[in-house]
Amino acid sequence: EWNWSTRRYVLSSCHSVYERNPLANSMLQYTADFVIGTGFNLTCKNKQVQKLLEAFIDDSDNAIREYERQAIINLQLDGELFLRFFEGAQSGQRGQIVAVPMRPWECESIRTERGYFRRPQMYRFQVYETEGDYPGGNINTQFEDIPADEILHVAINRHAYELRGRPELYRVMTWLRADKDFLEDRARQNYWRNALLWFVQVKNATAREVGAVLSRWSKPPTPGSVVVEPDNVQVSPLTNSSGGADAAEDGRQFKNRNIMGLRLPEYYFADGAQANLATATAQSVPALTKFCLLYTSPSPRDRQKSR
């Protein structure tokens, strides 16, 4: 298990990459698109039950329609979800239940029954309480011990003997950096490859003549200008071959390491030259398995809690 400081560092890095790297952002967004689609539909035979559920869904404190898509993204980004349930007077409305997402990096530890790690007893959070983004508001930091029956915890990418999950982006962080560095280096090379350096050769000249030529060529000529030199002065640009054909496959392999890390097919990322109908059909199988299966199976206690 990661300790609290390691988890905060990893999650901070994953959030930064998700916000700023288009490839990382698209991989998580595509998964949410396929899993959620246009959202869920609610149909109940018992109209009273349906009215109760619709009131829970439409409650602005719950924002379920917004959370249903964001939960898939957050689950991949943080590796786990924490939902806290308030009931009765605590929720602010008597008889209503409010579900509030908790920040995973604020969960410092989970206390379980001794010898039975699948039986959580208490979740310890270091909570940062704010008044929104109001500049004059107070910020309070406090430790809060929350009973396990108030928390629904869902985790992915964990071993059978672990409590906490790991982000999907964690396994591809190194390859995302490699892809970023590769593209930046290629952009620099393409930008500077033409007339990066001018080579001026002076033949059979005295030191004074060489100095005069050097003075004239202290700066490169402006575009569209005309240069006149004697026969003994030869001017030629030194260019750098970009080798685009050779580098294309290298860039594709870097990108594929990231795509495979999240079990997505290559043709999802606008590279149609590498796929036909047969390969596209075959490549979809691992992705569809990921989309259709649940990320985790909640414990019987959590299933009862969610009901």
Side-chain angles (χ1 to χ4, degrees), residues 69-205:
R69 172 182 173 80
Q70 196 62 42
I72 300 298
I73 297 175
N74 292 347
L75 184 60
Q76 299 176 90
L77 187 56
D78 298 319
E80 52 191 356
L81 296 175
F82 292 92
L83 274 177
R84 185 178 185 182
F85 294 91
F86 297 92
E87 185 176 3
Q90 273 189 303
S91 67
Q93 302 179 22
R94 188 171 300 278
Q96 287 286 88
I97 297 177
V98 175
V100 179
M102 305 290 289
R103 301 183 181 99
W105 56 88
E106 291 182 353
C107 183
E108 186 184 77
S109 60
I110 303 174
R111 190 180 70 195
T112 66
E113 183 177 335
R114 183 179 295 275
Y116 297 93
F117 74 95
R118 293 192 183 278
R119 299 178 183 177
Q121 295 178 333
M122 182 269 294
Y123 294 83
R124 185 171 180 81
F125 281 82
Q126 181 174 323
V127 181
Y128 298 91
E129 296 181 344
T130 65
E131 299 177 20
D133 60 353
Y134 175 57
N138 295 323
I139 300 177
N140 297 323
T141 303
Q142 62 179 10
F143 286 96
E144 186 174 1
D145 294 336
I146 304 176
D149 58 0
E150 295 183 12
I151 295 290
L152 174 63
H153 177 213
V154 179
I156 60 172
N157 297 329
R158 61 178 177 180
H159 295 289
Y161 45 79
E162 291 181 327
L163 277 172
R164 307 293 296 269
R166 290 182 173 83
E168 286 277 84
L169 291 181
Y170 176 67
R171 73 171 68 91
V172 297
M173 290 283 285
T174 302
W175 292 105
L176 285 169
R177 171 59 65 87
D179 181 71
K180 173 179 175 291
D181 292 343
F182 172 80
L183 293 176
E184 287 181 347
D185 290 341
R186 295 297 305 170
R188 293 190 188 98
Q189 189 174 7
N190 287 331
Y191 182 79
W192 292 109
R193 67 188 178 92
N194 289 325
L196 175 64
L197 185 66
W198 289 90
F199 179 70
V200 180
Q201 184 179 15
V202 184
K203 297 181 180 179
N204 304 323

Side-chain angles (χ1 to χ4, degrees), residues 227-240:
V227 178
V228 179
E229 292 289 348
D231 291 341
N232 65 331
V233 178
Q234 297 181 0
V235 181
S236 58
L238 299 182
T239 60
N240 180 23

